[in-house]
Amino acid sequence: MKAKRIVEIEHFINNKNAVTLEELSKNFNVSINTIRRDINQLVKMDKVKKVYGGVESVNISHSSATDFNDRNIEHSEDKRHIGQLAAQKLEAGDVVYIDTGTTTMHILDYIDKALPLTVITNSLDVMNKAVQLENIDLFIIGEQFKKTTRSFIGVDRHSLLNKMNIQKAFMAATGINVPNGLSNSEVEENYIKQLVMKKSKQKYICVDSSKMNKSTLLTYAPLDIVHSIITNQPLPENIADFAEKNGIEVYY
């Protein structure tokens, strides 16, 4: 029984790429301690590897520039349209956070060039676009550049971000579903996303349909605190029902 479960756990992790111990415990209906023992055995066999907050498939590639470029190519037209929709939510004088990501990076392409804004970001691509717009006051957060996500990380409790009052946050996510909310796979990014969600009055989630009903390693916010979801097609029925019950606006 145990041997069969360990094989099934390995397959589960490989299919998901990265999962939390809690997710494994719930899926296989065993205790966290049992899961830890099973994972330790898989680690010794070099079948999986432990990461902060969970466990990861050994088959995941962590190449830097290729990762971002590949993600940028996928659903590129949909992502540009989502960026265009998100840009319509910006108003003169807004203090906004624009998250790192291959969707949110398009938002500034579609704004009125004369629109006065304060933009806060850790995205290299957003920074490069913001500096070309005369009426944008730009604040950059993060001390270390991460090539995988083309973003700056290294924000702690003393960061300026903790003191900022953000009116609108335009956030990316690797996965979005009802039980796990908004998730991503980058540990360093997760803290930044959590902090931004706490500091923002209005929270816009910019995700294409390929992210729907998916969950990755780390949750950075529950779905019920979201103000709006901006996407490229109608939501899956379960997420649409949740959005309607919780007053979440949907744009596509």
Side-chain angles (χ1 to χ4, degrees):
M1 185 71 178
K2 178 183 177 182
K4 180 183 178 182
R5 185 180 66 243
I6 289 176
V7 171
E8 290 175 347
I9 289 173
E10 180 190 350
H11 291 162
F12 186 83
I13 295 168
N14 285 333
N15 287 333
K16 292 269 193 175
N17 288 330
V19 295
T20 64
L21 296 183
E22 289 78 9
E23 187 175 355
L24 289 170
S25 174
K26 182 178 180 181
N27 189 78
F28 291 95
N29 195 29
V30 293
S31 70
I32 290 289
N33 287 335
T34 298
I35 286 295
R36 285 198 179 101
R37 288 193 292 269
D38 291 347
I39 292 302
N40 286 338
Q41 187 166 337
L42 285 168
V43 169
K44 289 178 182 177
M45 297 164 62
D46 292 325
K47 299 292 187 180
V48 301
K49 58 184 176 181
K50 292 180 181 179
V51 295
Y52 181 83
V55 61
E56 205 175 68
S57 169
V58 294
N59 298 321
I60 292 180
S61 169
H62 289 288
S63 59
S64 57
T66 305
D67 286 347
F68 188 90
N69 291 335
D70 285 349
R71 288 188 289 114
N72 197 22
I73 292 169
E74 293 174 350
H75 310 283
S76 58
E77 193 66 22
D78 291 331
K79 292 175 180 181
R80 283 194 288 271
H81 287 159
I82 293 168
Q84 187 174 14
L85 270 179
Q88 296 173 15
K89 308 302 175 187
L90 293 170
E91 299 175 303
D94 276 347
V95 177
V96 302
Y97 181 88
I98 301 180
D99 197 8
T100 183
T102 54
T103 300
T104 47
M105 63 180 281
H106 296 294
I107 294 174
L108 293 184
D109 294 332
Y110 295 99
I111 68 167
D112 181 343
K113 299 301 185 284
L115 190 69
L117 294 171
T118 298
V119 171
I120 307 160
T121 191
N122 69 326
S123 164
L124 178 63
D125 296 282
V126 174
M127 295 173 199
N128 288 337
K129 293 176 181 183
V131 296
Q132 299 178 49
L133 300 170
E134 292 184 3
N135 290 325
I136 286 185
D137 291 328
L138 177 63
F139 287 87
I140 300 169
I141 61 170
E143 299 175 352
Q144 178 186 350
F145 182 64
K146 184 164 186 170
K147 292 181 181 179
T148 311
T149 54
R150 291 174 62 83
S151 64
F152 289 84
I153 56 175
V155 172
D156 59 27
R157 62 189 181 89
H158 302 296
S159 168
L160 180 63
L161 183 59
N162 287 277
K163 302 177 178 67
M164 290 179 164
N165 298 313
I166 303 169
Q167 291 171 302
K168 299 173 182 176
F170 296 87
M171 305 299 295
T174 313
I176 172 173
N177 69 14
V178 173
N180 293 332
L182 307 167
S183 59
N184 75 308
S185 300
E186 300 288 341
V187 174
E188 299 92 341
E189 295 276 357
N190 195 260
Y191 176 73
I192 296 174
K193 292 177 185 289
Q194 287 180 330
L195 185 55
V196 169
M197 293 296 276
K198 290 178 182 177
K199 298 292 294 181
S200 306
K201 290 183 179 178
Q202 296 182 346
K203 305 161 180 65
Y204 296 87
I205 308 305
C206 303
V207 289
D208 66 77
S209 56
S210 70
K211 310 298 194 307
M212 299 297 170
N213 279 324
K214 293 187 177 179
S215 177
T216 54
L217 183 62
L218 301 166
T219 293
Y220 70 84
L223 194 54
D224 60 5
I225 69 170
V226 170
H227 176 264
S228 300
I229 298 173
I230 304 175
T231 187
N232 59 303
Q233 58 182 250
L235 297 178
E237 185 176 356
N238 63 323
I239 299 180
D241 289 345
F242 185 90
E244 184 177 0
K245 290 176 182 176
N246 289 274
I248 301 171
E249 297 174 345
V250 181
Y251 302 95
Y252 61 89

